[in-house]
Amino acid sequence: MIIRKIRKIAKLQQAEKLSVAEKLAMRSALLDFVRTTPGVRNQPTGRLISLRGLINNLRETKFMPIALIIALFIAVSGGTSLAAENSVPGDLLYPVKISVNEKIRSAVNFSDESKVEWEIDKVARRLEEAEKLKVKNRLDVTISETVKNDISIQTKTASQLAEKFQDSEKSFSANSRLEAVLRGHAQILLALSEKDDGAAEIILDVLDDTKAISESRVEAEGEISAKAEADFEIAAKNKMKAAENKIAEVKKIVDKNSFLSEPVAARLSAQLNSALSVYNEGKAELDLKQYNQAFITFQEALRLAQEAQIIVHGAKQLDIDWQGKINASKNDSNRKNDQNDDAKKSQDKAVIEEKFPVHIDALIDAANRINTRTKTEIKAPDADDSDRGDAEDKDTDRERSRSEAETNAEVESDLIDIEVENELTL
Amino acid sequence: MHLTTEKQFVDFYDKHADAIFRFCYFRIYERELAKELSQESFCRLWGMVAEGQDITYPKAVLYRIARNLVIDYVRRKKEASLEEIQEVSGDSVFKDSKSEHIDDAIDVSAVLQKLREKNEELSEPLELKYLQGLQVKEIAKILNLSPNVVSVRIHRAIKILKGMYDN
């Protein structure tokens, strides 16, 4: 009898379903996601799937006209939209990526948290574009300037949205992820700029932003520390779980990778070990019921793991020099015995520290070195003048980017308004 | 069923979108959020496919992802009181149904909710079976248990539920 009653509930629950418009919007966003994350065995078709089935489902509903317009739009623009996803600034389809694909994805983020998450994803997308351009050797002065501005505007949009959270916990978490994105990508760009400057200006800008965001994070940490411990008990435990999952997830990828060079893999393992030791600190704080501090510490562990994940992803997506180095390292290691391995490990460690500085100031120094080196090479005949010139150039550049930042802040606040309007319209 | 192509994945979405939405909705009672969690579940499932993971039971994996997302969300949010949940669920779930069915359903729904609060380990397999219409084999995959344990838990849940309902 009780089972019959439960089945009745199930029947009543069946009435609760997605409307056709909701289903279509989700479907479209999902398709967009599928196409930006193509599977290893996936052969994207670039056209709407199951159109006939979909129309049959829609036939009886009042949403038929709206749904058909959306379906038609997807059917017509599907291929273009797919192609646009891989475009970079300077490509013909790049405006489609920005004005169509990203707007659609913005429209299906419903909560404030997911909106901020998406804005942070967009920062990552801008940085990935810079990396792709660098790999393709297409970062000329004009494009470099555009890319730098785009990254800067997007970073400020994401950071300001994160600041708008009333809840300091959410704001802190969002800023922390943004910091991880910036730091991770700055390291990839640095690795890509080993041979020439190319992206040095962009990196310096990104690191400036990273430093600012890192400072607001430290401020937020202070605010959180000042709050009542009991308020953070659940939050700290959840953050612990999140950090644990992220570390495990990245560790799994690093462990089974076949695309990372040994130094990069070792660097990532070292970073994951740091994340793990920070995580253990958090656990000790949790045991002592210092919930605020534990929350902050787990967030740090999560950030370290997120940063490592970005580097892994970058190494996988970009067919950069690392790939070549892997093969060389693998061949080498096949020939070496265990004793030699120890020597190689310490040699690797030195290479890692040189190539992948972790601290923000070390990153800035590295970017400055690349920037200065290239300018010195260009003005090589008069070295003294060149040094002075470099300093002046750098000062001018920093001033210019500061004034741009001010303009960007104004433009950016307009952009948020436009985006909100667009979402309401959609 | 293996998900390897975009078409298979979209067909899979068409088939399970409503069910997974309901699964989220009747745990968090926030429509917009339920939509978001459903979409996130599908995205994560595709993420696994894209990573090259061999997913033999995508439906079970999808429910497992959705379940974890819901658990994460519920942990973050302070638990709503039973009264609040009843109020919300009573309003939105049974609005178009006949009154005697509504009373009946609300009674059982309240008892189910109590069981969920008291012993989620038992209520979860029961709900997956009778509210979501999943098979024991699928539930076992979602909860990472053996089918035998799932059957035992469902049996015990029904027994407890009967007692609670009679009282």
Side-chain angles (χ1 to χ4, degrees):
Chain A
M1 180 189 162
I2 193 86
I3 293 174
R4 217 170 50 230
K5 283 179 190 295
I6 298 172
R7 284 203 168 119
K8 261 186 205 167
I9 298 181
K11 224 173 199 177
L12 291 167
Q13 285 190 353
Q14 300 284 325
E16 195 67 45
K17 52 172 86 167
L18 294 163
S19 71
V20 176
E22 284 172 332
K23 215 169 173 180
L24 265 176
M26 273 174 69
R27 192 184 209 269
S28 144
L30 205 60
L31 264 173
D32 212 15
F33 178 78
V34 166
R35 285 165 181 171
T36 53
T37 325
V40 279
R41 290 162 293 180
N42 179 38
Q43 296 300 322
T45 56
R47 65 183 175 83
L48 187 71
I49 308 300
S50 299
L51 191 57
R52 195 193 304 158
L54 191 66
I55 291 171
N56 284 340
N57 289 339
L58 293 173
R59 199 166 277 166
E60 302 298 323
T61 75
K62 61 180 176 179
F63 293 110
M64 176 73 167
I66 307 167
L68 270 185
I69 291 167
I70 299 172
L72 197 66
F73 172 77
I74 297 168
V76 171
S77 66
T80 317
S81 173
L82 166 65
E85 262 312 305
N86 293 320
S87 63
V88 288
D91 287 350
L92 273 177
L93 286 175
Y94 188 67
V96 177
K97 180 179 179 180
I98 300 298
S99 312
V100 180
N101 296 9
E102 293 195 351
K103 292 278 182 226
I104 291 173
R105 280 183 70 173
S106 296
V108 289
N109 291 310
F110 305 104
S111 69
D112 288 345
E113 279 157 292
S114 63
K115 277 177 190 158
V116 175
E117 284 294 303
W118 170 233
E119 291 305 324
I120 298 173
D121 285 347
K122 274 165 52 178
V123 174
R125 282 161 76 94
R126 296 295 83 86
L127 286 158
E128 279 163 12
E129 285 160 10
E131 288 155 10
K132 280 182 191 166
L133 284 165
K134 180 77 194 76
V135 171
K136 291 176 183 172
N137 213 10
R138 281 175 53 192
L139 265 183
D140 62 25
V141 181
T142 323
I143 291 191
S144 183
E145 200 60 27
T146 314
V147 167
K148 204 168 75 177
N149 277 344
D150 288 350
I151 294 170
S152 171
I153 291 174
Q154 189 51 48
T155 305
K156 285 192 176 67
T157 308
S159 143
Q160 284 195 357
L161 268 181
E163 294 292 331
K164 275 184 187 170
F165 276 128
Q166 297 291 325
D167 190 341
S168 58
E169 176 197 327
K170 285 181 187 168
S171 170
F172 171 65
S173 302
N175 259 332
S176 184
R177 190 182 154 230
L178 179 58
E179 191 184 334
V181 165
L182 293 171
R183 286 175 66 114
H185 284 286
Q187 288 176 70
I188 295 175
L189 281 165
L190 261 178
L192 289 170
S193 302
E194 263 187 358
K195 287 173 191 160
D196 53 80
D197 79 324
E201 287 283 316
I202 297 172
I203 302 169
L204 281 169
D205 248 36
V206 169
L207 291 173
D208 265 0
D209 286 339
T210 316
K211 214 168 178 180
I213 285 158
S214 170
E215 280 161 12
S216 15
R217 174 180 51 81
V218 172
E219 269 177 40
E221 283 177 4
E223 282 173 29
I224 289 172
S225 300
K227 288 192 175 177
E229 294 282 358
D231 292 350
F232 280 87
E233 183 177 352
I234 297 171
K237 285 177 180 165
N238 290 335
K239 198 57 84 182
M240 176 179 82
K241 197 80 202 151
E244 192 181 312
N245 289 343
K246 185 59 77 183
I247 294 170
E249 183 190 341
V250 184
K251 196 170 182 327
K252 203 171 151 193
I253 304 171
V254 172
D255 286 349
K256 71 169 187 184
N257 78 80
S258 56
F259 52 86
L260 296 173
S261 66
E262 280 180 20
V264 178
R267 153 80 174 82
L268 290 169
S269 298
Q271 173 131 356
L272 285 175
N273 285 339
S274 311
L276 205 60
S277 80
V278 173
Y279 170 84
N280 287 331
E281 274 173 40
K283 269 184 113 174
E285 286 160 357
L286 198 69
D287 290 341
L288 294 170
K289 298 193 173 174
Q290 296 169 346
Y291 298 121
N292 298 13
Q293 197 47 47
F295 175 77
I296 293 168
T297 311
F298 285 132
Q299 181 66 55
E300 193 187 337
L302 178 65
R303 191 176 64 248
L304 287 168
Q306 284 169 334
E307 206 179 302
Q309 188 181 30
I310 288 161
I311 298 173
V312 175
H313 184 73
K316 194 176 178 183
Q317 295 297 313
L318 303 164
D319 189 18
I320 50 178
D321 209 12
W322 292 345
Q323 184 69 44
K325 282 173 190 158
I326 308 160
N327 298 332
S329 306
K330 273 184 181 164
N331 294 336
D332 284 351
S333 65
N334 288 338
R335 288 195 297 269
K336 282 173 186 169
N337 58 27
D338 289 345
Q339 285 172 332
N340 285 344
D341 277 354
D342 289 341
K344 187 171 186 316
K345 269 180 196 164
S346 65
Q347 194 190 335
D348 280 351
K349 202 180 166 199
V351 174
I352 292 158
E353 279 165 7
E354 192 196 341
K355 280 187 185 169
F356 304 103
V358 180
H359 299 292
I360 190 84
D361 290 330
L363 285 166
I364 293 174
D365 284 348
N368 270 324
R369 264 201 308 278
I370 294 169
N371 203 19
T372 313
R373 185 187 64 201
T374 319
K375 285 180 179 168
T376 313
E377 278 166 10
I378 294 166
K379 296 184 181 180
D382 193 345
D384 289 343
D385 283 346
S386 134
D387 286 347
R388 269 198 304 278
D390 281 344
E392 281 165 17
D393 280 355
K394 262 190 282 171
D395 287 347
T396 321
D397 285 339
R398 308 319 305 157
E399 272 174 32
R400 196 180 59 214
S401 60
R402 260 196 296 279
S403 78
E404 274 167 9
E406 282 162 16
T407 321
N408 290 342
E410 291 162 19
V411 173
E412 172 270 326
S413 84
D414 290 345
L415 277 177
I416 296 176
D417 291 344
I418 293 168
E419 205 151 279
V420 170
E421 270 178 36
N422 280 339
E423 281 171 21
L424 289 174
T425 320
L426 277 164
Chain B
M1 178 198 176
H2 282 273
L3 294 178
T4 49
T5 64
E6 189 180 297
K7 180 177 173 7
Q8 283 171 342
F9 186 71
V10 176
D11 286 346
F12 179 79
Y13 164 80
D14 287 340
K15 196 171 167 191
H16 299 290
D18 279 327
I20 212 74
F21 164 73
R22 271 195 295 275
F23 175 80
C24 297
Y25 178 67
F26 288 105
R27 273 159 186 77
I28 53 178
Y29 299 103
E30 284 182 43
R31 192 177 172 82
E32 292 306 313
L33 195 67
K35 273 159 63 177
E36 202 175 301
L37 294 189
S38 313
Q39 184 170 326
E40 180 66 21
S41 306
F42 281 103
C43 286
R44 289 194 184 188
L45 178 66
W46 179 256
M48 292 167 80
V49 174
E51 274 178 12
Q53 293 189 32
D54 192 20
I55 299 168
T56 323
Y57 299 98
K59 188 176 165 190
V61 176
L62 179 73
Y63 272 91
R64 198 191 297 164
I65 296 170
R67 177 175 173 266
N68 290 341
L69 287 173
V70 167
I71 290 172
D72 280 351
Y73 171 76
V74 173
R75 271 187 197 148
R76 276 207 304 269
K77 207 181 166 183
K78 283 179 186 169
E79 277 184 15
S81 69
L82 173 64
E83 290 75 22
E84 278 172 341
I85 289 171
Q86 276 178 356
E87 200 180 307
V88 180
S89 59
D91 279 354
S92 59
V93 181
F94 309 122
K95 58 190 171 192
D96 297 326
S97 313
K98 288 177 185 170
S99 60
E100 67 269 28
H101 286 175
I102 297 170
D103 292 343
D104 223 15
I106 288 177
D107 284 348
V108 184
S109 177
V111 177
L112 261 175
Q113 182 65 40
K114 265 186 192 158
L115 180 66
R116 200 187 271 184
E117 282 168 5
K118 212 169 138 186
N119 195 337
E120 202 174 356
E121 209 174 81
L122 295 184
S123 76
E124 203 170 15
L126 177 97
E127 289 182 34
L128 286 170
K129 179 161 172 59
Y130 293 107
L131 295 181
Q132 294 295 321
L134 298 175
Q135 294 169 8
V136 170
K137 199 172 68 183
E138 290 170 327
I139 301 169
K141 295 247 176 278
I142 295 166
L143 302 177
N144 215 5
L145 298 167
S146 74
N148 201 24
V149 171
V150 171
S151 302
V152 170
R153 285 191 185 176
I154 292 172
H155 181 72
R156 284 176 58 198
I158 292 170
K159 216 171 159 185
I160 294 175
L161 215 56
K162 260 183 193 167
M164 285 165 80
Y165 186 71
D166 291 341
N167 289 333

